[in-house]
Every structure is written in structure tokens, then in C-alpha cells.
Amino acid sequence: MTTNVLVIGGGQAGLAAGYYLTLAGIDFIIVDGSSRVGDSWRNRYDSLLLFTPKGYSELPGLSFPGKKEQLPNKNETADYLETYASNFQLPLHLNTSVISLNKSNGLFYITTNKEDYIARHVIIATGPFHKEAIPDIASKISTDVKQIHSASYKNPEQLSEGDTLVVGAGNSGTQIAVEISKHRKVYLSSGHRPLLLPLHIGGKNIFYWFDKLGILKATAHSFIGKKIQSRPDPIFGFELKKRIKASAITLVPRTIDAKNKSIIFSDGSQREFTNIIWSTGFKPDYKWLELSHVINERGAIKHERGITPESGLYIVGMPWQHRRTSALIGGVGLDAQHVVNEIIRDH
Ligand SMILES: Cc1cc2nc3c(=O)[nH]c(=O)nc-3n(C[C@H](O)[C@H](O)[C@H](O)COP(=O)(O)OP(=O)(O)OC[C@H]3O[C@@H](n4cnc5c(N)ncnc54)[C@H](O)[C@@H]3O)c2cc1C
């Protein structure tokens, strides 16, 4: 099948690109390996509540239903994305996974598990989270210890009885630690003290103030942007503090080694656990992309505001692609618009 633009990935980034391509009257198709729009949200842990309120979790052109100040859960977010796709009649080919992408004579050739596509432009919108990043020390840990990555964590019922170590105190690691601490003792390991920020100030959600202070629009190279990037990601709300006070969670330093059931921390202390949750992030995986010159030494795609070194190849949805909010639902639209404007210029 031939199309002007092929968008790979129908999550929020691909849908936002689709919205602007529709407005520009450009012929395009979005392919996605999953069977339903919103599945990347549906597949996350059961209790996931977004830290961005509904009013700041919107794609261009469609309001999030419900009260703007309310934090949406993962299923509401998935359903919002599904409604978005049908509202703008975005041409989605679901259950269609890209297996390879190459370029010849100015055209991109894409093979999938279904049909093949030829496109003049390609927008990669496969998200920042591909392969689970688990430290090598995991292989030294006894098989009696249950180990899972946060991407496979759904709820505390998956765990064995006994003490649980959550490694990584980002927003998901912290939310998961707080949830598990209602069922068993939790140790939360982090190389830094979590930076806790209130969810509300003066009766308004903190994102309202971030917006007013220009933080949401701060670009990666600006003074504010650099300052934010030099600090750990903040954790919104004080649930963690309450659970630490109740001795249900104990903070421990960075996890550096392991021996059998014992985990060794950077201060030399060690402790045994029956469960470990690795909330240690993800690695990029573009094995289907046969254009090695666009991949950097960390396996990520080289780009400047979404424009890659390969003419006609773009990316949307990367963290700090241009702003703090580039990989958030409320911010991805601006980057999608920028990339589509480049395609219009190239038309
Ligand atoms: C635990 C957690 C909490 C978060 N909380 C918030 C929050 O509160 N607020 C907020 O704004 N953001 C939040 N985020 C961040 C962000 O909004 C999400 O990561 C978002 O899902 C990224 O959207 P995306 O479209 O870029 O990628 P994804 O949602 O990952 O979508 C990528 C799509 O590409 C498809 N795909 C991948 N490879 C292929 C292929 N080879 N062929 C075809 N299709 C392919 C996938 O099936 C998928 O549908 C959170 C993330 C996590 C993990």
C-alpha cells in the first residue's frame, strides 16, 4: 500500500501527528501493533493514576471528559485516546507491527506482519519505553526471590509473602512502593532522596502553577529547562512521606550488588528480600529500523526537535524532544505540529 506519510505507533504521539496531518489534508496511515488504541496505558499497573490532571492530559482538539482538576486513571486515559482516534476518524491499521524499514530512491519501504507499505515520509511514534532495563546484578539473585520489572507489575497479588524491594524512586516506582506497602513491608532504593512536591497549592493543581510560571513550555536548552533536567524528576503528592512515617516504607540507598538472596546497597549495608521490583527504566529498541546512521551510541534515534538526519524521517514523543512535556499527553501535540509543519514544507 502506498501513502504519503506512514506513522508508526498509534499511542498519543502518533494520534497527535494524525490530527495535524488531517488538518493539513495530507494522505497518511497510522500502523500499530496493538489490537486497541490506548493499550499501552491499559497494560500498565492496575492502580495507575496519572500525575497530570485531566485538564493537562489533553491532545489538541478534544477535551478530556470530567473535571479538569481530577487525576485520570489509566483506563480513562486509554478510553480518551480511543475516542480521540474515532472522533477525528484517524486511519489506523491495528494489529500491524513494523518488522523492517528501509529507504531506496527517496522512498521508504516498510514491511509489517500484515501488508507492506511505501511512503514518502515516516513519523516514528513508538514511544520512549521499548525494552525493560534491568541491571546485570539481577542474574546473581537466587531464583527463590521473585523479580519483576515495573512494566510487568500489575498488583500486589503477583508477589510472594515477605519484604519487598522496589529499586528506583521515580513516579512509577514510588506509586508501586506506596501500593505494596499497604500489604507488606517495602524498602525503596534510590541513588537520590526523592524530590516530593505537593499536588495542590492554594487550591489549584501544581500543573496550573507550572503552566502559569512557564515551566510547561520551557525548552530543553533554556535556563529553566536545564535547571529542571539537572534535578531528579519530582514525585507529586506526599503519600510516600506518610508511608515512611508509618514505617511501612524504608528508604535505602542505591542498589549496587547482590549475592544469593542478599541485596547490597551503596552504603555497604545488605538485606534479604522475597520480592524485587525493578523500576529502573527502559532501553530503546529500533531493531526494525535498517538505517543505522540515524541511531546513536545509546541506541536512540538522532534528531533535532524530531527531525532526524535522514530526509523524510521524523520522530515524535521523546522525553525532552523540545520541552519537559514532550513525552506527556498534554505536551506531545506541540511537537507533532512542528514535525507535520516540516512535512508540509517538504511537500
Ligand atoms: C507509569 C507511567 C506513568 C505515567 N504517567 C504520566 C502522566 O501522569 N501524565 C503524562 O502526561 N504522561 C505520563 N506518562 C508518560 C507518557 O504519557 C506515556 O509513556 C505515553 O504512553 C507515551 O506515548 P507515546 O505515544 O509516545 O508511546 P506509547 O504510548 O508507548 O505508544 C507507542 C505505540 O507504538 C506501538 N508500536 C511500538 N513498536 C511498534 C512497531 N514496531 N510497529 C507498530 N507499532 C509499534 C505500540 O503498540 C504503542 O501503541 C507515564 C508513563 C508511565 C510508564
Side-chain angles (χ1 to χ4, degrees):
M1 186 174 279
T2 302
T3 179
N4 193 332
V5 183
L6 188 78
V7 181
I8 306 175
Q12 63 207 32
L15 299 181
Y19 172 82
Y20 285 109
L21 288 165
T22 305
L23 282 190
I26 295 174
D27 162 51
F28 71 100
I29 292 167
I30 304 175
V31 291
D32 196 297
S34 57
S35 56
R36 215 176 144 191
V37 172
D39 271 356
S40 56
W41 282 103
R42 281 187 200 93
N43 293 335
R44 289 174 179 156
Y45 54 92
D46 298 345
S47 63
L48 171 55
L49 258 195
L50 275 71
F51 51 80
T52 48
K54 291 181 175 175
Y56 289 94
S57 302
E58 294 174 339
L59 290 177
L62 188 71
S63 293
F64 204 117
K67 288 193 180 129
K68 299 279 168 219
E69 286 274 308
Q70 214 175 39
L71 300 178
N73 66 36
K74 63 165 193 168
N75 290 331
E76 287 176 300
T77 310
D79 292 347
Y80 166 74
L81 294 183
E82 204 168 29
T83 307
Y84 190 86
S86 66
N87 196 70
F88 296 108
Q89 297 177 359
L90 301 179
L92 271 145
H93 292 189
L94 294 170
N95 297 305
T96 306
S97 293
V98 171
I99 294 165
S100 72
L101 181 151
N102 221 323
K103 195 177 182 190
S104 171
N105 295 327
L107 291 173
F108 292 98
Y109 291 83
I110 301 102
T111 63
T112 75
N113 61 327
K114 286 195 163 170
E115 52 190 307
D116 295 341
Y117 297 83
I118 300 174
R120 282 188 59 205
H121 306 89
V122 169
I123 300 177
I124 299 173
T126 52
F129 303 133
H130 300 155
K131 269 196 302 198
E132 301 175 353
I134 299 182
D136 294 342
I137 56 165
S139 61
K140 297 190 194 173
I141 299 169
S142 157
T143 50
D144 293 342
V145 178
K146 183 157 184 102
Q147 298 187 58
I148 48 174
H149 187 271
S150 58
S152 311
Y153 172 80
K154 298 285 179 251
N155 55 55
E157 278 163 35
Q158 285 167 290
L159 306 178
S160 312
E161 279 309 314
D163 290 357
T164 299
L165 174 67
V166 178
V167 183
N171 272 287
S172 33
T174 304
Q175 239 182 48
I176 290 170
V178 166
E179 174 174 59
I180 299 172
S181 75
K182 292 170 187 160
H183 305 263
R184 42 178 76 68
K185 173 73 188 177
V186 173
Y187 292 78
L188 179 60
S189 166
S190 169
H192 61 265
R193 231 190 138 68
L195 171 63
L196 304 181
L197 292 183
L199 254 179
H200 294 95
I201 299 173
K204 297 271 186 203
N205 186 285
I206 193 162
F207 273 79
Y208 168 88
W209 298 110
F210 285 165
D211 195 8
K212 288 280 163 273
L213 293 169
I215 290 172
L216 298 185
K217 294 230 167 73
T219 59
H221 303 299
S222 66
F223 175 76
I224 301 178
K226 283 184 191 155
K227 198 101 190 137
I228 303 170
Q229 287 173 83
S230 70
R231 292 171 169 210
D233 260 0
I235 310 300
F236 299 103
F238 293 129
E239 277 303 302
L240 175 63
K241 203 170 168 182
K242 286 187 205 152
R243 302 305 292 162
I244 292 171
K245 225 172 166 184
S247 301
I249 296 180
T250 300
L251 288 182
V252 287
R254 178 183 287 277
T255 299
I256 55 162
D257 209 350
K259 199 173 170 195
N260 205 9
K261 286 187 195 171
S262 271
I263 303 299
I264 302 158
F265 301 104
S266 58
D267 62 354
S269 62
Q270 27 185 302
R271 185 174 284 280
E272 290 193 359
F273 298 95
T274 51
N275 304 292
I276 300 177
I277 296 171
W278 298 102
S279 190
T280 38
F282 296 81
K283 286 189 275 194
D285 183 8
Y286 295 103
K287 58 178 178 302
W288 48 269
L289 184 56
E290 293 171 4
L291 303 169
S292 56
H293 62 284
V294 304
I295 309 268
N296 68 20
E297 62 294 346
R298 286 171 285 107
I301 291 185
K302 296 177 197 168
H303 71 93
E304 188 58 48
R305 276 192 82 177
I307 321 293
T308 79
E310 180 61 56
S311 160
L313 184 68
Y314 307 90
I315 187 162
V316 178
M318 291 297 100
W320 284 102
Q321 175 154 329
H322 187 48
R323 301 177 183 83
R324 163 68 183 97
T325 53
S326 286
L328 301 183
I329 309 184
V332 72
L334 285 171
D335 291 334
Q337 185 177 32
H338 178 75
V339 159
V340 170
N341 283 342
E342 282 296 314
I343 293 176
I344 295 169
R345 244 194 296 281
D346 192 31
H347 223 49

